[in-house]
C-alpha cells in the first residue's frame, strides 16, 4: 500500500502515549497526532518510578489517550492500517497494559497488530523526522537508557556500547536530589551549573581509561556525594556558590565522558563508510546545551552531520512507536495474539545483555 496510517501505543515507563502517523512512499512522514500523559506527579514523593503505580495509571488512561489521539488526527480506528504497540523493554506491568490494550483494539476491529521494541522506536526516530538513510549512528541518552547503536536497517542494529550502571539522566536526577534541587534533575542541575565553575572540583571521568564505548555514571555520583559531605562538614551547610560549582563540575564530567565515547563510536561507525555520515541523539538528556555543543564539536571534527529530533520526539512518545510499527508493517511483518510483553529485549541480538537495571527499568 502506498499510504499507511498507523496508531501507536507506548506505556513502557512513566508516560502513557498514543499517536497516529501517516506515510506515503516518496513523501515525508506526517505525525497526525501525538498525545502524552505524563505521570511525574504520581511518583514525585517516591523519588523514582513505582512500577505498580505506573502500570495502574497506564491501564486506566490508555483508552482515553487512544481516543484523544484518534480525535486529534480527525480519524477513526477503522481508518488505521495497523496498531503498533511497545512490547518491551521496560517495566513489565506497563508494557503488559499497552500490549493488552492493543490486542483488544486489534481483536475488536480486525486491524493487524505490530509489536515494537521501544529502543527501535527511539533509534528509528531520525527517519520519521529527517528521513535519515541507513546506516547512521544513534546515541540514546535518557533517564532509562544510554547506548550507542548503529542503525543498519529497521531490524538490524549493532550496539557499540552503553552504560554498565546508571543512565546519565538518572545521574542528573540523583545529583539534584543530593544537592537539594528539584526533579527532574537534568534541567535544574543545568540551570544551577550556569553560574558555576566547572573546574572547581575534579570529579572522575569513569571508564575513559578503558577501551571501547561502555560507560559508567554511578561512581561519579558517589564522588559528588563525598565532595558535598566535605563541604557540608566544613560550612555546616552547602553554600550557594559551592552548589553551583558542583553542578558545573558534574555536568562537565558527564559531557566529557559522552563526547569522548561518542568520538570512539563515530570512528567505528565510519569504518562502514556511510555515504552521508550522521549522528543522531535522542532521550531527555539530549536537551542539555553543554552536551549538545560537545557532541556537535566532535561531529565537526570528524565531518559527520549532527541531528537531534525536536525534544517532544526525543523523550518517550507514541509517534516513534507508530513509525517503527509502520516500517515493520511495510516490510510485511505483523504479530498474532501470542505477542508477549518483554521486560528485557536487547535490540542487538548478538551482543550480551547490559548489566544492571535503572530506576526506570532494565537498560536493554
Ligand atoms: O527521555 P526521558 O524523558 O525519559 C526517560 O528516561 O524515559 O528523559 C528524562 C531524563 C531525566 O532523567 C531528566 O533529568 C533528563 O532526562 N533531562 C536532562 C535535561 N532535561 C531532561 N538531563 C540533562 N540536562 C537537561 N537539560
Ligand atoms: Zn525511552
Amino acid at each position: 500500500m502506498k499510504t499507511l496510517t498507523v496508531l501507536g501505543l507506548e506505556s513502557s515507563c512513566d508516560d502513557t502515549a498514543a499517536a497516529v502517523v501517516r506515510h506515503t512512499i516518496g513523501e515525508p512522514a506526517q505525525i497526525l497526532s501525538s498525545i502524552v500523559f505524563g505521570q511525574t506527579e504520581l511518583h514525585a514523593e517516591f523519588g523514582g518510578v513505582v512500577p505498580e503505580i505506573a502500570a495502574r495509571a497506564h491501564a486506566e488512561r490508555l483508552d482515553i489517550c487512544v481516543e484523544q489521539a484518534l480525535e486529534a488526527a480527525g480519524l477513526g480506528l477503522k481508518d488505521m492500517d495497523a496498531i503498533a504497540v511497545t512490547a518491551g523493554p521496560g517495566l513489565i506491568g506497563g508494557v503488559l497494559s499497552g500490549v493488552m490494550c492493543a490486542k483488544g483494539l486489534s481483536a475488536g476491529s480486525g486491524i493487524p497488530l505490530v509489536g515494537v521494541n521501544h529502543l527501535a522506536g527511539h533509534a528509528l526516530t531520525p527517519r520519521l523526522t529527517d528521513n535519515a538513510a541507513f546506516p547512521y549512528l544513534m546515541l540514546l541518552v535518557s533517564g532509562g537508557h544510554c547506548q550507542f547503536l548503529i542503525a543498519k536497517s529497521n531490524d538490524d542494529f549493532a550496539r557499540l556500547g552503553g552504560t554498565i550502571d546508571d543512565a546519565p539522566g538518572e545521574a542528573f536526577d540523583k545529583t539534584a536530589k543530593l544537592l537539594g534541587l528539584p526533579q527532574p534533575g537534568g534541567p535544574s542541575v543545568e540551570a544551577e551549573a550556569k553560574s558555576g565553575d566547572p573546574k572547581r572540583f575534579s570529579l572522575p571521568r569513569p571508564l575513559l581509561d578503558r577501551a571501547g564505548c561502555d560507560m559508567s555514571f554511578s561512581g561519579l555520583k558517589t564522588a559528588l556525594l563525598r565532595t558535598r559531605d566535605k563541604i557540608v562538614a566544613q560550612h555546616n551547610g552547602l553554600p550557594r556558590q559551592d552548589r553551583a560549582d558542583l553542578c558545573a563540575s558534574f555536568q562537565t564530567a558527564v559531557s566529557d565522558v559522552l563526547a569522548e565515547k561518542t568520538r570512539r563510536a563515530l570512528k567505528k561507525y565510519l569504518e562502514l563508510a556511510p555515504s552521508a555520515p550522521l549522528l543522531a541523539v535522542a532521550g531527555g538528556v539530549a536537551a542539555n546545551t553543554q552536551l549538545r555543543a560537545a557532541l556537535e564539536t566532535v561531529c565537526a571534527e570528524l565531518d559527520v552531520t549532527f541531528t537531534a529530533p525536536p525534544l517532544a520526539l526525543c523523550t518517550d512518545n507514541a509517534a516513534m512507536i507508530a513509525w517503527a510499527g509502520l516500517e515493520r508493517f511495510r516490510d510485511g511483518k505483523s504479530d498474532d495474539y501470542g505477542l508477549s510483553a518483554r521486560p528485557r529485549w536487547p535490540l542487538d541480538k548478538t551482543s550480551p545483555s547490559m548489566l544492571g537495571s535503572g530506576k526506570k527499568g532494565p537498560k536493554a
Side-chain angles (χ1 to χ4, degrees), residues 25 28 94 130 150 153 165 205 215 217-218 237 242 263 300 309 347 352 361:
I25 291 173
D130 294 51
I150 296 179
S153 79
D165 43 50
R205 270 58 173 164
M215 290 161 282
F217 295 99
S218 74
D242 290 344
R263 183 176 289 111
L347 257 192

Side-chain angles (χ1 to χ4, degrees), residues 41-59:
E41 76 291 353
L42 293 181
H43 305 284
E45 65 179 289
F46 304 103
V49 177
V50 183
E52 285 307 318
I53 295 177
R56 186 172 293 266
H58 289 308

Side-chain angles (χ1 to χ4, degrees), residues 139 148 190 205 251-264 266 279 281 285-302 304 306:
L139 167 60
F148 292 104
E190 178 168 26
R205 270 58 173 164
Q251 184 172 269
T252 302
V254 172
S255 153
D256 281 358
V257 169
L258 282 165
E260 175 52 27
K261 296 286 177 171
T262 300
R263 183 176 289 111
R264 294 183 196 174
L266 277 173
L279 170 74
V281 285
V285 184
N288 189 277
T289 314
Q290 185 176 356
L291 174 63
R292 268 182 192 239
L295 296 177
E296 280 177 77
T297 306
V298 175
C299 283
E301 230 174 71
L302 296 172
V304 169
F306 174 80

Side-chain angles (χ1 to χ4, degrees), residues 13-15 118 122 141-145 168-173 183-188 190 251 282-289 311 314-316 359-360:
C13 186
D14 58 348
D15 291 302
H118 176 87
H122 280 300
V141 269
S142 71
H145 326 292
E170 224 172 328
F172 268 98
D173 294 341
Q183 297 293 326
S188 51
E190 178 168 26
Q251 184 172 269
V285 184
N288 189 277
T289 314
L311 196 59
C314 272
T315 54
D316 285 351
K359 80 177 159 80
K360 292 193 169 181

Side-chain angles (χ1 to χ4, degrees), residues 87-88 92 95-96 99 103 339-343:
I92 189 64
V95 180
L96 263 172
V99 168
K103 282 183 186 173
L339 175 69
S340 48
R342 299 171 64 176

Side-chain angles (χ1 to χ4, degrees), residues 141-179:
V141 269
S142 71
H145 326 292
C146 180
Q147 49 187 290
F148 292 104
L149 292 163
I150 296 179
K152 298 180 183 175
S153 79
N154 65 36
D155 195 29
D156 187 4
F157 301 91
R159 197 185 65 213
L160 299 181
T163 183
I164 58 167
D165 43 50
D166 291 353
E170 224 172 328
F172 268 98
D173 294 341
K174 287 177 182 168
T175 295
K177 205 170 166 201
L178 290 174
L179 301 180

